[in-house]
Amino acid sequence: MRTTGEIIRERREKKGLLLRHVSAQLDIDTAILSKIERGERKATREQITKLADILELDKETLLIHYLSEKILYEIQDEDLGIQALKVAEKTIKYGVTKHK
Amino acid sequence: MRTTGEIIRERREKKGLLLRHVSAQLDIDTAILSKIERGERKATREQITKLADILELDKETLLIHYLSEKILYEIQDEDLGIQALKVAEKTIKYGVTKHK
DNA sequence: GTTACATTTGACAAATATTGTCAAAAAGAA
DNA sequence: TTCTTTTTGACAATATTTGTCAAATGTAAC
């Protein structure tokens, strides 16, 4: 699975844009965008949607990548992570279709 | 699905323990434990394992509840939450059995 | 209804984590 | 080299989390 950062960098380079160009539009330093692309920092949700606009990437796809990384970050190193994910999934499905 | 807080409160009351007793063992104010039990605050991971010990609850089960709530907290209000969960699950399964 | 405790509430403080800047170092391409 | 881009790491600003405390509320016995 390609990481969110990889998707962003790939696309930025394909469009011939420099960190300088894109980070200016995001209103942050190039250092942060560099780190986001290499997975050293997490982007904010707002940055992700802006990046989708700037780089003409499908917003939903990018958001799904981003959110799933956020989820995985929460359960990193947890032996019970997979089971927690399954419980979360059941809970959300139950809540969405029924009740609450 | 019963919440983590509900499980804790139920068990504490069944054992005839007061907030005062349990919060002292956790080294926090009763106010926080009260909030945790009612879902107004999240516990820390350490508090969860201590609570399992104090209340003689199955540690794994309680942790799974706790982690799944943490996950759901991250994607609350997100339309793409379910899809993100599925991607996360696939990623973790892939990583656990193969690669990396 | 008053006393004695248990729990809850909310304002605030402390601690921790996140998000950012900046300047210097490293990497690339003439 | 020189010019430009990217990366690195120390640090600052900000936001979030975690906690205390005191007062308010709830509960039960008397």
Side-chain angles (χ1 to χ4, degrees):
Chain A
M1 178 74 68
R2 244 146 83 268
T3 68
T4 309
E6 282 167 358
I7 293 169
I8 291 166
R9 170 150 295 187
E10 213 167 81
R11 183 74 176 164
R12 174 176 65 78
E13 289 178 343
K14 187 161 282 170
K15 296 203 110 194
L17 297 169
L18 298 177
L19 285 176
R20 172 159 64 76
H21 299 134
V22 177
S23 64
Q25 291 200 68
L26 292 175
D27 196 29
I28 55 173
D29 197 89
T30 57
I32 297 200
L33 183 54
S34 168
K35 285 168 186 173
I36 288 171
E37 288 185 347
R38 287 170 300 110
E40 195 184 308
R41 287 271 181 112
K42 286 179 294 180
T44 65
R45 207 205 116 106
E46 196 187 8
Q47 285 163 350
I48 291 295
T49 61
K50 279 188 185 166
L51 281 165
D53 284 339
I54 296 166
L55 301 175
E56 298 177 283
L57 282 164
D58 182 68
K59 201 166 292 188
E60 297 211 339
T61 306
L62 200 62
L63 267 173
I64 290 168
H65 270 267
Y66 167 70
L67 291 172
S68 83
E69 274 171 16
K70 253 180 77 168
I71 290 166
L72 290 170
Y73 178 80
E74 288 299 314
I75 58 175
Q76 71 187 163
D77 311 325
E78 288 287 352
D79 292 342
L80 304 168
I82 299 179
Q83 290 166 76
L85 272 175
K86 285 195 175 132
V87 171
E89 211 177 309
K90 271 182 195 158
T91 305
I92 209 173
K93 274 178 185 160
Y94 178 77
V96 164
T97 53
K98 309 188 178 185
H99 256 103
K100 219 329 164 23
Chain B
M1 179 71 69
R2 241 145 88 268
T3 67
T4 309
E6 283 166 355
I7 293 169
I8 291 166
R9 169 149 298 187
E10 211 168 83
R11 183 73 176 164
R12 174 176 64 79
E13 290 178 342
K14 187 161 284 170
K15 296 204 110 196
L17 296 170
L18 298 177
L19 286 177
R20 175 159 63 78
H21 299 135
V22 177
S23 64
Q25 292 201 67
L26 291 175
D27 196 29
I28 56 173
D29 197 271
T30 57
I32 296 198
L33 183 54
S34 167
K35 285 168 185 171
I36 288 171
E37 288 186 346
R38 287 170 301 111
E40 196 185 307
R41 286 270 181 111
K42 286 178 293 179
T44 66
R45 207 204 116 105
E46 197 188 7
Q47 285 162 352
I48 291 296
T49 60
K50 280 188 186 167
L51 282 165
D53 283 340
I54 296 166
L55 301 175
E56 299 177 281
L57 283 162
D58 183 70
K59 203 167 288 189
E60 297 211 338
T61 306
L62 199 63
L63 267 173
I64 289 168
H65 270 267
Y66 167 72
L67 291 172
S68 84
E69 275 170 17
K70 252 180 80 168
I71 290 166
L72 289 170
Y73 179 82
E74 288 299 315
I75 58 174
Q76 71 187 163
D77 312 324
E78 288 286 352
D79 291 343
L80 304 169
I82 299 179
Q83 291 166 78
L85 273 176
K86 287 197 174 130
V87 171
E89 210 175 312
K90 270 182 197 158
T91 305
I92 210 174
K93 275 179 187 162
Y94 178 74
V96 166
T97 54
K98 309 188 181 186
H99 255 105
K100 217 332 166 14

